[in-house]
Amino acid sequence: MTIVYERRGSGSPLVLLHGIGHRWQAWEPVLDRLAEAHDVIAVDLPGFGSSPRLATYGIPQIVTALTDFFAQLGVTRPHVAGNSLGGALALELAAGDHVASATALAPAGFWTTPEKGYALSVLLTHRALGFLPRPLVTPFLRTPKLRRISCGMLYGRPEQLDPDVPYDDLRGLRGGRGFNPVAWASRGYRYTGQPTGPVTVAWGTKDRILLPRQAERAEVLLPGARHVRLPGCGHLPMHDDPALVTRVILETTAT
């Protein structure tokens, strides 16, 4: 299995895992900040970005692909941070004692069945927009007010984005060949593990995909973790508050 990745910085390894339909560029706002302290490896998960698909999909299969990837790089027990699907994977890696620490930003797996269906329906709607010609999409991204209206489901502060960012994210959703297999394979998924090592679960207060009330369930199910709220952040907090997300991750790796 070949996993495509971006690597920057030096120090102890830190692997970054994006959400469903995204790619390593999800971490671009915090990459260089984190690279001041770590050897940062931002991956395209199998079937997303430029990484090929897996033969079969499920959370265990993706975890295995990642641990094999660590071995290929010669990386032993890296720190890991993930968002959404990547957050669930970070917690699963921690439960398997494969990592030195885990930071999970709005991790999947703490939802009810209706909440999961709602999240997927929102993402599928945005994915459909990625198939529209650019001239039909970009007018809705041109001004801060229009970005706030059109992108408010994904970002907490869409008005501060470069217009190219949400457009490229839509294109990433469109091109994610692993989107449907992952969505189908995870239809009954709940996180039930108990992670080892330092773990932080952080949730944006304006997350409209995986709703903040899921953070309350995570607190009950993971009493040994540190739980953090990210004020004003949406489902992709790396774009909303890069400095805060960087600090949360580095506080976790430092422990």
Side-chain angles (χ1 to χ4, degrees):
M1 178 68 204
T2 300
I3 289 182
V4 174
Y5 60 93
E6 172 74 4
R7 193 169 192 172
R8 301 180 193 174
S10 60
S12 54
L14 167 63
V15 177
L16 303 178
L17 308 173
H18 60 75
I20 187 171
H22 225 306
R23 59 222 189 286
W24 72 259
Q25 287 88 345
W27 298 96
E28 190 71 73
V30 300
L31 261 181
D32 289 335
R33 297 168 187 253
L34 293 171
E36 294 177 8
H38 290 284
D39 171 16
V40 181
I41 305 162
V43 308
D44 281 345
L45 290 172
F48 300 98
S50 299
S51 292
R53 284 178 52 170
L54 292 173
T56 57
Y57 270 96
I59 297 297
Q61 287 87 348
I62 303 175
V63 169
T64 297
L66 289 170
T67 56
D68 290 346
F69 171 68
F70 298 164
Q72 290 168 16
L73 289 185
V75 170
T76 303
R77 289 178 55 80
H79 301 283
V80 65
N83 172 230
S84 195
L85 167 65
L89 293 170
L91 293 176
E92 293 287 357
L93 287 163
D97 200 25
H98 298 297
V99 295
S101 74
T103 305
L105 308 176
F110 296 94
W111 45 31
T112 64
T113 298
E115 288 170 347
K116 180 181 60 179
Y118 159 79
L120 287 175
S121 68
V122 172
L123 291 173
L124 283 167
T125 300
H126 282 77
R127 188 171 189 235
L129 295 176
F131 287 88
L132 295 175
R134 183 163 191 153
L136 292 180
V137 177
T138 51
F140 294 96
L141 308 175
R142 192 166 292 148
T143 68
K145 181 178 180 179
L146 288 173
R147 287 196 296 279
R148 190 162 56 248
I149 294 170
S150 60
C151 304
M153 295 298 290
L154 293 175
Y155 310 93
R157 299 175 179 133
E159 64 277 2
Q160 70 186 22
L161 294 173
D162 183 308
D164 287 338
V165 169
Y167 179 76
D168 290 342
D169 284 351
L170 288 177
R171 297 283 290 181
L173 272 168
R174 165 186 168 174
R177 294 156 293 167
F179 186 97
N180 288 332
V182 169
W184 178 254
S186 63
R187 62 193 183 280
Y189 176 71
R190 300 283 191 283
Y191 183 77
T192 58
Q194 282 301 319
T196 62
V199 171
T200 296
V201 177
W203 228 288
T205 60
K206 294 178 68 177
D207 193 328
R208 296 183 177 93
I209 305 293
L210 298 181
L211 304 176
R213 61 174 172 260
Q214 295 173 39
E216 299 172 7
R217 295 187 199 118
E219 289 184 22
V220 173
L221 294 170
L222 303 176
R226 178 177 69 134
H227 296 270
V228 177
R229 296 295 186 271
L230 306 175
C233 291
H235 191 59
L236 299 169
M238 305 83 77
H239 288 281
D240 292 321
D241 197 334
L244 176 58
V245 169
T246 299
R247 185 169 74 246
V248 168
I249 294 173
L250 293 182
E251 287 172 350
T252 309
T253 63
T255 59

